[in-house]
């Protein structure tokens, strides 16, 4: 079992920045690929980005590529989502997820992740 807790959400104006953090409970954090997802009101949850176990590879949805950056600090059992040039359409609850399969490959499907955080609200105003 891996427990994940997101933090860093809040309200910002369009064009602003936020950095989300996701803290994991296990000291074996480096064994898990990690992903970020978001869900806006009335919409399906969608993939945002993912990072491999050692942080060597990242992948992003087209909607955020060039604006968002995923990183991780395995010594701190934490993964980050740096969000720049925020747009109103980025408003959503953002959740982190852990891939418990031990895979070295990036994952983008909801079904590929085994553990989920509670989510943190990001609101971007015009």
């Amino acid at each position: 079992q891996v427990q994940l807790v997101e933090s860093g959400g809040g309200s910002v104006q369009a064009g602003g920045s936020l950095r989300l953090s996701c803290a994991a409970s296990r000291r074996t954090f480096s064994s898990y690929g990690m992903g970020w997802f978001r869900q806006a009101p009335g919409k399906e949850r969608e993939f945002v980005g993912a990072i491999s176990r050692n942080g060597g590879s990242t992948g992003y949805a087209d909607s955020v590529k060039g604006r968002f950056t995923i990183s991780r600090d395995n010594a701190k059992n934490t993964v980050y989502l740096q969000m720049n040039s925020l747009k109103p359409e980025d408003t959503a609850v953002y959740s982190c997820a852990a891939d418990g399969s031990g895979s070295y490959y990036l994952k983008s499907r909801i079904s590929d992740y085994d553990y989920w955080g509670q989510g943190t609200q990001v609101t971007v105003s015009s």
Side-chain angles (χ1 to χ4, degrees), residues 28-34 50-57 72-74 99 101-106:
T28 54
F29 176 67
S30 62
S31 297
Y32 300 94
M34 299 293 296
I51 188 166
S52 61
R53 289 169 54 170
N54 65 357
S57 298
R72 67 191 297 163
D73 186 342
N74 288 345
D99 169 17
S101 72
S103 175
Y104 288 88
Y105 295 97
L106 297 175

Side-chain angles (χ1 to χ4, degrees), residues 8-67:
S11 298
V12 298
Q13 296 184 100
S17 298
L18 284 173
R19 188 178 77 160
L20 306 183
S21 298
C22 174
S25 61
R26 281 192 176 272
R27 54 178 168 82
T28 54
F29 176 67
S30 62
S31 297
Y32 300 94
M34 299 293 296
W36 284 96
F37 293 79
R38 67 186 183 185
Q39 186 169 25
K43 298 183 67 177
E44 297 290 322
R45 182 168 54 182
E46 65 177 354
F47 172 74
V48 175
I51 188 166
S52 61
R53 289 169 54 170
N54 65 357
S57 298
T58 57
Y60 303 92
D62 288 342
S63 58
V64 306
K65 190 173 184 179
R67 300 187 298 120

Side-chain angles (χ1 to χ4, degrees), residues 61-114:
D62 288 342
S63 58
V64 306
K65 190 173 184 179
R67 300 187 298 120
F68 291 11
T69 303
I70 296 173
S71 61
R72 67 191 297 163
D73 186 342
N74 288 345
K76 297 181 178 180
N77 289 357
T78 302
V79 63
Y80 304 95
L81 181 66
Q82 178 67 47
M83 305 184 294
N84 298 326
S85 301
L86 284 163
K87 305 174 181 179
E89 53 262 44
D90 295 319
T91 295
V93 174
Y94 285 71
S95 300
C96 67
D99 169 17
S101 72
S103 175
Y104 288 88
Y105 295 97
L106 297 175
K107 307 292 182 65
S108 62
R109 298 165 60 188
I110 293 171
S111 61
D112 288 329
Y113 290 87
D114 302 289

